[in-house]
């Protein structure tokens, strides 16, 4: 699992390079207004409507997942390099689309790769690290770029410095993909495409309300992450060199939440973790919008860890309970396409319109409303999905 831990570390470092200051970069060097920022975020998510399902389908059809990862990181490095030199809004928007096309499928593919690798190890009787303890390396990787970028930003570098940092981690991710273990997969015995079976699985009665609730949750998250850098910069007045550090304070705490997740599962079950996480998300946005003070921006990062478990860890584990070996990759890709992609495309455009009309504070209140809808659906309409014996999380039997 060590090469896979490195892969999570490096791939999330790419995200950690660009996410905290990307919209600040668009305002500072691209001259984007809030509507155009929303459009850029939406275009980056458009490939999520097809790319994750297609790429994870290829993985389930026995195309080597390691080679898919290598191609994607190569493309991301090229696109991010071009973005650094772009001086045209139209070209920048186009590059955002291609960045999304090359990168958004990689995270669900890595998730599917983990569950396939864990299943293969379990059949051999080898010990299996739990998913949270592998994914936590992604959390650690997300933090590193803000520490690296603090120094050039302190010396007056512009927000565009995030892009060379991201390209560097893309190239390291590319190199590491060649160290991943090949998974020997059985012949696919499904008469229909695994993507079709996966799509049916995520809308089964036991998963339907999970999917619907998370659709609103991802819309809320896309609102928050699209504009939090601008909010901290323009409303709260935090210097750019500190924005990434403040955002990553929550990510540091996320490590602790991820490590104690098995204990929390025994105590409140996987659904309970998601309910608390969604409540934490809506509380964070309401507090920031109501009290736009630097100390509030710091304190609300306490909510980040539970929010991540609710949106990005818990659902992955629930989905794998629905999967068989024939579509273990595809179910992650299809969910990312149908739920995550659709929510982000619609959410980013809607958020851009709301912020352009009602300001950055209004955008946070709007996001809180979406988070409240997600919280209510998951709390009152979604029942747990029973655990499967193949899941490498021993404590899940109590969930």
């Amino acid at each position: 699992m060590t090469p896979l831990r490195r892969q999570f570390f490096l791939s999330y470092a790419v995200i950690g390079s660009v996410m905290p200051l990307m919209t600040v970069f668009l305002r500072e060097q691209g001259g984007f207004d809030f509507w155009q920022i929303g459009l850029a975020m939406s275009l980056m998510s458009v490939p999520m409507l097809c790319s994750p399902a297609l790429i994870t389908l290829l993985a389930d059809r026995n195309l080597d997942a390691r080679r898919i990862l290598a191609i994607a990181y190569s493309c991301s490095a090229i696109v991010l390099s071009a973005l650094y030199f772009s001086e045209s809004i139209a070209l920048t928007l186009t590059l955002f689309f291609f960045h999304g096309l090359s990168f958004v499928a990689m995270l669900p593919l890595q998730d599917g790769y983990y569950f396939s690798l864990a299943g293969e190890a379990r059949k051999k009787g080898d010990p299996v690290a739990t998913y949270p303890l592998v994914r936590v390396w992604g959390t650690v990787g997300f933090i590193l770029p803000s520490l690296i970028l603090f120094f050039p930003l302190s010396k007056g570098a512009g927000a565009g410095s995030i892009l060379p940092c991201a390209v560097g981690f893309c190239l390291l991710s590319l190199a590491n993909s060649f160290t991943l273990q090949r998974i020997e997969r059985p012949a696919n015995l499904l008469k229909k495409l695994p993507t079709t079976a996966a799509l049916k699985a995520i809308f089964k009665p036991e998963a339907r309300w999970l999917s619907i609730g998370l659709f609103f949750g991802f819309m809320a998250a896309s609102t928050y992450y699209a504009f939090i850098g601008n909010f901290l910069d323009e409303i709260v007045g935090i210097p750019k060199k500190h924005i990434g550090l403040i955002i990553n304070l929550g990510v540091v705490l996320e490590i602790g939440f991820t490590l104690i997740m098995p204990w929390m599962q025994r105590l409140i079950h996987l659904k309970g973790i998601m309910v608390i996480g969604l409540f934490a998300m809506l509380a964070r946005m309401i507090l920031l919008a109501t009290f736009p003070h630097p100390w509030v921006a710091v304190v609300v990062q306490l909510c980040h860890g539970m929010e991540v478990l609710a949106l990005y860890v818990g659902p992955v584990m629930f989905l794998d309970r629905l999967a068989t070996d024939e579509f273990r990759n595809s179910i992650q890709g299809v969910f990312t396409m149908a739920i995550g992609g659709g929510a982000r495309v619609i959410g980013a455009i809607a958020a851009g319109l709301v912020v352009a009309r009602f300001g950055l504070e209004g955008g946070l209140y709007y996001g809180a409303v979406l988070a409240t809808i997600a919280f209510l659906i998951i709390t009152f309409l979604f029942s747990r999905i029973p655990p499967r014996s193949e899941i490498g999380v021993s404590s899940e039997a109590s969930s």
Side-chain angles (χ1 to χ4, degrees):
M1 287 279 182
T2 298
L4 182 56
R5 290 187 179 95
R6 285 199 305 266
Q7 198 68 44
F8 271 83
F9 178 91
L10 294 169
S11 62
Y12 277 85
V14 178
I15 303 173
S17 298
V18 299
M19 195 282 285
L21 290 175
M22 177 57 83
T23 56
V24 176
F25 162 74
L26 292 177
R27 291 277 280 174
E28 179 183 278
Q29 292 177 235
F32 278 47
D33 58 28
F34 291 131
W35 153 243
Q36 290 167 331
I37 287 174
L39 180 60
M41 296 297 107
S42 179
L43 284 172
M44 188 170 66
S45 299
V46 164
M48 293 181 74
L49 300 177
C50 61
S51 176
L54 174 61
I55 290 179
T56 50
L57 165 64
L58 293 175
D60 278 326
R61 286 296 188 184
N62 295 329
L63 188 65
D64 194 338
R66 302 171 301 170
R67 302 294 83 85
I68 301 174
L69 286 169
I71 293 169
Y73 287 120
S74 299
C75 294
S76 285
I78 293 169
V79 170
L80 290 170
S81 297
L83 189 61
Y84 181 78
F85 296 102
S86 174
E87 296 181 355
S88 162
I89 289 179
L91 177 58
T92 297
L93 290 173
T94 303
L95 290 170
F96 262 75
F97 172 82
F98 283 104
H99 173 57
L101 184 63
S102 60
F103 194 80
V104 295
M106 295 307 100
L107 301 186
L109 182 59
Q110 287 177 179
D111 291 336
Y113 179 90
Y114 161 78
F115 287 112
S116 296
L117 186 64
E120 189 174 85
R122 201 172 296 109
K123 289 175 184 177
K124 296 178 181 177
D126 296 335
V128 179
T130 64
Y131 175 75
L133 294 184
V134 174
R135 189 197 180 280
V136 73
W137 286 96
T139 303
V140 177
F142 186 95
I143 297 168
L144 180 60
S146 288
L147 300 178
I148 295 173
L149 290 166
F150 177 80
F151 298 100
L153 291 172
S154 296
K155 297 182 181 298
S161 58
I162 64 176
L163 295 173
C165 185
V167 169
F169 282 112
C170 277
L171 296 176
L172 290 173
S173 297
L174 165 64
N176 188 73
S177 69
F178 290 94
T179 71
L180 296 174
Q181 173 184 334
R182 180 175 176 82
I183 298 175
E184 298 297 332
R185 299 184 54 79
N188 195 309
L189 301 178
L190 287 180
K191 295 181 179 179
K192 297 182 178 180
L193 289 175
T195 300
T196 303
L199 187 62
K200 289 180 178 179
I202 67 172
F203 287 109
K204 283 182 177 180
E206 60 265 39
R208 186 176 300 145
W209 286 113
L210 173 69
S211 298
I212 294 171
L214 287 171
F215 185 89
F216 287 99
F218 287 130
M219 281 189 69
S222 67
T223 301
Y224 177 85
Y225 291 111
F227 292 103
I228 186 57
N230 301 108
F231 184 86
L232 296 178
D233 178 30
E234 299 180 31
I235 303 300
V236 184
I238 293 174
K240 292 180 180 63
K241 65 181 180 180
H242 293 141
I243 290 175
L245 297 179
I246 289 175
I247 290 174
N248 275 290
L249 173 61
V251 182
V252 171
L253 297 174
E254 177 191 330
I255 296 173
F257 283 106
T258 304
L259 293 176
I260 67 170
M261 188 177 178
W263 173 81
M264 286 193 289
Q265 280 185 254
R266 291 192 294 269
L267 186 66
I268 60 175
H269 310 310
L270 194 53
K271 176 184 172 180
I273 292 172
M274 292 185 63
V275 168
I276 293 174
L278 290 170
F279 180 81
M281 178 168 63
L282 71 90
R284 170 158 71 165
M285 287 190 276
I286 290 173
L287 288 171
L288 266 176
T290 306
F291 307 103
H293 189 278
W295 279 111
V296 176
V298 171
V299 171
V300 296
Q301 298 308 316
L302 292 169
C303 301
H304 178 79
M306 289 301 298
E307 175 186 331
V308 168
L309 297 186
L311 290 178
Y312 305 110
V313 181
V316 169
M317 298 169 71
F318 269 137
L319 290 172
D320 194 65
R321 296 178 182 183
L322 299 170
T324 66
D325 287 340
E326 288 80 9
F327 61 93
R328 197 164 299 283
N329 286 291
S330 287
I331 198 168
Q332 303 295 340
V334 165
F335 182 83
T336 301
M337 173 193 72
I339 306 304
R344 287 178 174 89
V345 170
I346 296 171
I349 291 178
L353 291 171
V354 169
V355 171
R357 175 66 178 84
F358 299 103
L360 290 163
E361 297 97 327
L364 285 178
Y365 283 124
Y366 163 72
V369 170
L370 295 171
T372 300
I373 295 172
F375 167 77
L376 293 174
I377 289 174
I378 298 298
T379 302
F380 297 108
L381 297 177
F382 169 63
S383 298
R384 73 181 182 93
I385 299 171
R388 297 171 56 90
S389 59
E390 305 95 88
I391 298 294
V393 184
S394 60
S395 62
E396 283 196 13
S398 64
S399 295

